[in-house]
Amino acid sequence: METEDNGAAPIGTPNGKAKRSLKNLLIDRRFQLKYTLLVALLALGIAVVLGGLLYKELKDNTQVTVTSLTKDLAEPQLKIVEERMAARDTRALLIIIASLGGLVIFILGIGIWLTHKVAGPLFIVGRYLNDIAEGRFSQPRPLRQGDELQDFYDTFQSMVKGLSDRERADLDSVRAALASLATGSDPSSIQAAVATVVWSRAASIGMKPRPR
């Protein structure tokens, strides 16, 4: 998945405010542009059909008007009317084309803005997952106000906290075992501390601990 840094604060720093720009809005170009262009093309297709029907109706009305005036006006006057009505039709066509262009630009802007609210949280989650894969458990920062996937992100934060707490508990058990070993304590207490870590690790990957 093609991604770009959206200028968010580094992992572990809360509420970094990124400067709004097109580069910041296009966090995941492939995902955002794919669905934005899909919606824009769909809307453009519908608008072209409706605009074409409107223009055809306008041209038909012009033809009916010119035909009805044929018997009432002389040739020079009729020619002037035809030219004026043709100019009106041309202006209407240009307005329709400009409106279609404006509609596409508007939909592209709204689409990028809306998909940014989904791509942003996914981008942040991806960064934290990379850190977790490398053994770092920094506390996830809050999402920006207005971002989507808030419930999903809350669940993700709980998962990271659970992993961090387990790592901390295992580290405490290993430290206790080392301390017991250094002071020559009962081997059974050392064995129990090590077994706690082993069972915790085994459970995390779905293995059943062997009986003591």
Side-chain angles (χ1 to χ4, degrees), residues 13-32:
T13 60
N15 292 329
K17 293 185 178 180
K19 182 180 179 181
R20 296 291 180 177
S21 67
L22 182 60
K23 181 180 179 181
N24 290 333
L25 289 175
L26 284 175
I27 298 172
D28 184 346
R29 291 183 178 180
R30 181 179 300 177
F31 165 75
Q32 291 181 256

Side-chain angles (χ1 to χ4, degrees), residues 9-115:
I11 292 178
T13 60
N15 292 329
K17 293 185 178 180
K19 182 180 179 181
R20 296 291 180 177
S21 67
L22 182 60
K23 181 180 179 181
N24 290 333
L25 289 175
L26 284 175
I27 298 172
D28 184 346
R29 291 183 178 180
R30 181 179 300 177
F31 165 75
Q32 291 181 256
L33 292 180
K34 175 183 177 180
Y35 289 100
T36 298
L37 289 175
L38 181 63
V39 173
L41 290 175
L42 179 61
L44 179 62
I46 296 174
V48 166
V49 172
L50 295 178
L53 293 175
L54 177 62
Y55 184 70
K56 181 179 182 301
E57 184 68 21
L58 184 62
K59 291 287 289 184
D60 291 343
N61 289 338
T62 298
Q63 187 62 39
V64 170
T65 301
V66 171
T67 301
S68 65
L69 293 175
T70 302
K71 297 179 181 180
D72 300 329
L73 297 176
E75 185 66 25
Q77 294 175 323
L78 184 61
K79 189 67 174 177
I80 293 175
V81 171
E82 288 179 347
E83 291 176 353
R84 289 180 177 178
M85 298 194 75
R88 184 201 64 178
D89 292 346
T90 300
R91 287 195 301 270
L93 179 61
L94 293 176
I95 291 174
I96 291 174
I97 294 175
S99 299
L100 292 178
L103 176 64
V104 170
I105 294 174
F106 175 76
I107 291 177
L108 287 175
I110 292 296
I112 291 173
W113 179 67
L114 290 176
T115 55

Side-chain angles (χ1 to χ4, degrees), residues 173-187:
S173 296
V174 171
R175 285 174 174 171
L178 291 175
S180 298
L181 186 62
T183 58
S185 301
D186 184 4

Side-chain angles (χ1 to χ4, degrees), residues 191 194-203 206-212:
Q191 181 182 5
V194 173
T196 299
V197 176
V198 172
W199 293 343
S200 174
R201 295 296 182 179
M207 293 179 58
K208 295 182 178 180
R210 294 180 181 180
R212 299 175 62 180

Side-chain angles (χ1 to χ4, degrees), residues 1 27 46 65 67 86 93 102 116 133 141 160 165-166 184 190 205:
M1 183 170 59
I27 298 172
I46 296 174
T65 301
T67 301
L93 179 61
H116 173 78
R141 68 172 179 82
V160 174
D165 290 345
R166 191 190 68 188
I190 301 175
I205 59 175

